[in-house]
Amino acid sequence: MQEKPIQRPLKRVAYRPREVAEMVGMSESGVRNLIRRGTLRAVQLDGRWLVPAAVIEDKLGIQLDASPPSDTAPQAARTFA
């Protein structure tokens, strides 16, 4: 008999510009402008821009956690460090 592996919540490693914009209360085009200017580091993967979670946590001062999003979960802080 095989044991089931322990399932841990996965922490996302990257977010789309639209998602980052929602987190910080900016427009998506504003986030894309930050990426274009090099102010916000992002990677392009198969034609899509992704902002690493570590960059969001460090640069934007938002603490991301491994819990799945829900309507009852508290929103991330919207202030910049």
Side-chain angles (χ1 to χ4, degrees), residues 10-20 23 41-45 48-57 64:
L10 296 176
K11 182 174 179 180
R12 291 186 52 184
V13 295
Y15 293 82
R16 294 183 185 117
R18 175 180 39 83
E19 295 170 313
V20 175
M23 286 180 205
R41 188 172 59 85
V43 294
Q44 195 169 24
L45 182 65
R48 295 188 174 121
W49 285 103
L50 297 172
V51 181
V55 170
I56 296 168
E57 290 177 338
L64 304 172

Side-chain angles (χ1 to χ4, degrees), residues 15-64:
Y15 293 82
R16 294 183 185 117
R18 175 180 39 83
E19 295 170 313
V20 175
E22 290 172 5
M23 286 180 205
V24 298
M26 292 179 67
S27 67
E28 182 179 354
S29 63
V31 171
R32 289 183 181 279
N33 283 334
L34 292 174
I35 293 169
R36 191 175 305 114
R37 289 192 310 237
T39 306
L40 184 63
R41 188 172 59 85
V43 294
Q44 195 169 24
L45 182 65
D46 198 26
R48 295 188 174 121
W49 285 103
L50 297 172
V51 181
V55 170
I56 296 168
E57 290 177 338
D58 294 341
K59 185 80 170 177
L60 302 179
I62 296 175
Q63 182 60 43
L64 304 172

